[in-house]
Amino acid sequence: MRKASAVQRMVVGCWLACCLMSSGCVTNSGTVMADIVTFNHTDHDIRNFSINEVTGAGVARHGASETSLCCLRVPREYQRDFTLTVSWSDDALRPPQTLVAVPPPYLAGSNGGHVSVHFLRNGDVKVFVDEY
């Protein structure tokens, strides 16, 4: 049997902590906890970012987050009016930017999921909610 890597243990630990802090991953309100992973498709380092006021660390240009960030509450089932506010700054010395993103239809599942944030070269940001 293989031992779990440090990253795997960290992700599982984060997920468990989120579940314990939220009294379970699924709440009576129909929301679930989702971790956040980031992908930077730009030519600039993302110095910092936040999504619905959950703050994340920087992401290198053409890179991805090494670990997932805990935790963001999302509706378990897709809702048309659900939006995610993404704010970030990069090393291009531009002022911090904010964008309201609408994820495409999804089903996060009963155990939570991932919110994937993609910083695109054209300055746009795409977000996706995926089931675990």
Side-chain angles (χ1 to χ4, degrees):
M1 180 185 255
R2 278 183 11 191
K3 285 187 174 183
S5 72
V7 171
Q8 290 169 325
R9 288 190 303 270
M10 184 180 296
V11 169
V12 169
C14 177
W15 180 81
L16 289 173
C18 288
C19 288
L20 291 173
M21 287 188 300
S22 67
S23 300
C25 286
V26 180
T27 67
N28 292 335
S29 65
T31 61
V32 295
M33 298 304 285
D35 58 356
I36 303 165
V37 293
T38 53
F39 301 90
N40 183 359
H41 304 277
T42 74
D43 294 329
H44 302 282
D45 294 340
I46 301 293
R47 288 189 288 168
N48 55 54
F49 77 96
S50 67
I51 180 167
N52 285 15
E53 299 184 11
V54 176
T55 303
V59 182
R61 66 183 140 212
H62 307 290
S65 54
E66 292 182 16
T67 61
S68 57
L69 177 66
C70 185
C71 289
L72 184 67
R73 189 176 301 277
V74 299
R76 183 178 352 157
E77 295 183 17
Y78 177 75
Q79 297 176 4
R80 285 185 185 179
D81 60 346
F82 176 61
T83 60
L84 295 163
T85 302
V86 181
S87 299
W88 73 98
S89 60
D90 60 28
D91 66 357
L93 302 178
R94 294 183 286 223
Q97 302 171 64
T98 299
L99 183 135
V100 176
V102 179
Y106 67 88
L107 178 62
S110 59
N111 293 322
H114 302 280
V115 174
S116 300
V117 182
H118 293 261
F119 295 96
L120 305 179
R121 287 182 186 200
N122 66 359
D124 200 6
V125 175
K126 298 290 182 185
V127 294
F128 302 92
V129 179
D130 302 305
E131 184 176 5
Y132 276 128

